[in-house]
Amino acid sequence: MKRLAGFIVVLIVIAGAAAGWLYLGVSRPYKGYEAAEQFVDIPPGAGPSSIARRLADAHVVRDVNSFRLAVWLSRQGRRLQAGEYRFDRPVSAREVVEKIARGDVYVLPITFREGLTIKQMAEVFESKGFGPAASFVRASKNADLVRALDPDAQDLEGYLFPDTYSLPRKATADQLVARMVTSFEKALTPDIREQASARGLGLRQLVTLASIVEKETGNPAERPLVAAVYANRLKIGMGLQCDPTVIYALDRAGRYNGNLTREDLHFDSPYNTYRYAGLPPGPIASPGRASLEAAVRPADVPYIYFVSRNDGSHAFATTLDEHNRNVQQFQRQYFIDKRRMGY
């Protein structure tokens, strides 16, 4: 009887030691891959056993059993999330489980600032390594994404909301473009739509006006003032005479070289607001939320002119005489003084 009792004690000790060894094993950091980093893609619907095999094959965990034990100990088997995960240091099986349960998938940020065109966004897309610019341009031709908002849209110019997006490494241009349209729809709040309707602006007109405001000034305080200038001009039937619309027209035609000349102002395009009255046929860039707000809430001022002060701000005027004085001071005299000083 004593021998049996002793044998049972030995078994208990061995079992305890084994359990302790296993417990410590799932808590011990491990890195079995040689590269500086390792990526593991977990597909939707994958269970703990399938995930364990992928991790073991990638040498992120020692073996299948260590991961499965870590899952069992954590009680998070139902919380494991799909996605691509990046590992770049030794980690324990328990840490791997926690990472996947959190859904800490690997993503890369891509930022589109306000006022970019589709062409410029495509260049950003390519520069960040997500794919060729041409793929972004193609995805941006899917006007069906905004058909309910703008039945006349031929592409998504103006409807790709400028923001920072976090993307998986293998994200496609189509996926990104769809997200950008969704973000635009969220930015276009019911209040903005109501204000636009109250001002007699259809959605396409609103976004077009907001895109012009976006291109004309980067100064937040000036956006409502710039919007007021164009709203006032539209009200009295005065040509918008907006340089960015001409630049957009020239760029679409492959004729813009970075300099806008007097001759360019005669370029025949419906986007040329020096030749054609009213708003151009569509947006000339992607406006941000502040420019959308300014377009529906322009400042209550009588200005119909403005000119750059060459410091990021503008001088506004109500009369042509006042505007001409501003042009003389902030443009002609400014450049005369620069030439005189040798700049």
Side-chain angles (χ1 to χ4, degrees), residues 292-314:
L292 289 168
E293 290 276 1
V296 297
R297 291 188 179 86
D300 185 15
V301 292
Y303 302 143
I304 55 175
Y305 302 99
F306 65 93
V307 65
S308 172
R309 288 193 177 100
N310 297 295
D311 64 357
S313 68
H314 294 81

Side-chain angles (χ1 to χ4, degrees), residues 91-120:
V91 288
S92 69
R94 293 175 70 94
E95 289 177 300
V96 175
V97 171
E98 291 169 1
K99 183 182 183 79
I100 298 175
R102 287 195 309 270
D104 188 11
V105 298
Y106 182 70
V107 292
L108 295 169
I110 182 169
T111 300
F112 299 101
R113 61 177 175 80
E114 292 88 347
L116 295 183
T117 62
I118 286 174
K119 178 182 175 182
Q120 292 168 325

Side-chain angles (χ1 to χ4, degrees), residues 12-84:
I12 292 173
V13 170
I14 293 173
W21 183 85
L22 289 172
Y23 184 85
L24 290 174
V26 299
S27 302
R28 191 179 303 122
Y30 176 77
K31 178 180 179 292
Y33 51 90
E34 295 182 358
E37 58 185 1
Q38 180 70 289
F39 292 91
V40 178
D41 190 25
I42 297 175
S49 294
S50 174
I51 295 172
R53 174 50 56 197
R54 287 173 177 268
L55 292 166
D57 289 345
H59 304 292
V60 172
V61 297
R62 280 187 174 81
D63 51 52
V64 169
N65 290 332
S66 61
F67 179 79
R68 294 182 65 181
L69 176 59
V71 171
W72 182 79
L73 290 170
S74 70
R75 298 291 191 269
Q76 298 197 86
R78 295 180 179 273
R79 297 181 181 178
L80 303 181
Q81 301 179 47
E84 185 178 50

Side-chain angles (χ1 to χ4, degrees), residues 184-224:
F184 169 80
E185 292 173 339
K186 290 179 180 178
L188 196 68
T189 62
D191 180 58
I192 290 178
R193 296 191 193 205
E194 290 172 10
Q195 291 293 325
S197 179
R199 299 190 66 83
L201 292 172
L203 178 65
R204 188 169 184 80
Q205 293 173 311
L206 161 63
V207 180
T208 300
L209 178 56
S211 72
I212 289 175
V213 172
E214 192 70 69
K215 294 298 289 185
E216 284 285 20
T217 182
N219 186 332
E222 287 190 348
R223 289 191 180 104

Side-chain angles (χ1 to χ4, degrees), residues 108-137 140 160-167 171-173 176-177 180 286:
L108 295 169
I110 182 169
T111 300
F112 299 101
R113 61 177 175 80
E114 292 88 347
L116 295 183
T117 62
I118 286 174
K119 178 182 175 182
Q120 292 168 325
M121 287 179 166
E123 292 169 355
V124 174
F125 180 79
E126 182 172 281
S127 71
K128 295 299 182 180
F130 286 103
S135 67
F136 187 93
V137 172
S140 299
L160 301 178
F161 193 67
D163 202 349
T164 296
Y165 297 87
S166 296
L167 306 175
T172 66
L176 173 57
V177 162
M180 296 176 77
S286 286

Side-chain angles (χ1 to χ4, degrees), residues 196-253:
S197 179
R199 299 190 66 83
L201 292 172
L203 178 65
R204 188 169 184 80
Q205 293 173 311
L206 161 63
V207 180
T208 300
L209 178 56
S211 72
I212 289 175
V213 172
E214 192 70 69
K215 294 298 289 185
E216 284 285 20
T217 182
N219 186 332
E222 287 190 348
R223 289 191 180 104
L225 297 175
V226 171
V229 168
Y230 288 120
N232 291 338
R233 288 191 170 205
L234 288 169
K235 189 182 300 182
I236 64 177
M238 181 178 178
L240 298 187
Q241 298 183 346
C242 169
D243 289 356
T245 65
V246 183
I247 292 172
Y248 183 76
L250 292 168
D251 195 52
R252 279 168 60 96

